[in-house]
Amino acid sequence: MSRNDDVIELEQLLARYAVTITKGDIEGLISVFTPDGNYSAFGDTYPLDEFPDLVAAAPKGLFLTGTPALEIDGDTASGTQPLCFVEQSTHDMRIGYYSDTYARTDAGWRLRTRAMTFIRRNGDHDSGRPHAFERPSA
């Protein structure tokens, strides 16, 4: 596979992430990750088995993503992708970027890790405030 093929496949993977989460398609969202994949934001890291509850607790809206900046190294890669989230009921926006790692699998490229960084009006970059999602107590 050529580097250009890898770039196109990774860009399509990230497009599937944005479309599936915008449409509330949790199974589709989980499918863009490796089985050991995780998402970090709001001061915590969430494994795939917590995604349904995490997404259910999150505001709904449109995930607008930009073209990712990718670094490909064989069967692994990393990248940064800008994000503008528009909340559906108020049209309030949140802006920031994802920092990702990727792995080539038998099913193609998949996200291994995705970490959200929010850009605040004051210029700060942070992982966000604690989320409405609460983990069940052990």
Side-chain angles (χ1 to χ4, degrees):
M1 184 174 269
S2 76
R3 184 180 189 301
N4 287 341
D5 290 340
D6 287 336
V7 168
I8 291 168
E9 186 175 340
L10 284 161
E11 287 177 346
Q12 285 299 299
L13 174 76
L14 297 176
R16 282 193 304 279
Y17 176 96
V19 169
T20 57
I21 196 167
T22 294
K23 293 172 82 175
D25 175 3
I26 301 306
E27 287 182 24
L29 179 63
I30 290 171
S31 76
V32 304
F33 284 86
T34 59
D36 63 344
N38 65 62
Y39 174 78
S40 299
F42 320 113
D44 213 341
T45 299
Y46 303 91
L48 289 183
D49 64 346
E50 292 182 357
F51 271 37
D53 292 334
L54 177 66
V55 173
K60 306 303 178 248
L62 177 63
F63 287 74
L64 293 170
T65 53
T67 303
L70 300 167
E71 296 292 329
I72 301 169
D73 184 15
D75 290 338
T76 62
S78 61
T80 303
Q81 184 179 40
L83 168 71
C84 176
F85 171 76
V86 182
E87 201 272 333
Q88 71 184 19
S89 64
T90 63
H91 287 190
D92 287 345
M93 292 188 297
R94 293 183 187 96
I95 60 172
Y97 51 92
Y98 295 116
S99 299
D100 301 326
T101 63
Y102 316 98
R104 188 190 319 266
T105 71
D106 290 342
W109 283 102
R110 295 292 182 265
L111 274 161
R112 176 167 279 150
T113 63
R114 174 154 265 203
M116 180 65 204
T117 301
F118 296 93
I119 301 172
R120 303 296 176 190
R121 287 185 177 123
N122 66 5
D124 287 351
H125 293 219
D126 63 56
S127 68
R129 298 177 193 93
H131 197 269
F133 171 72
E134 292 186 26
R135 288 185 160 129
S137 7

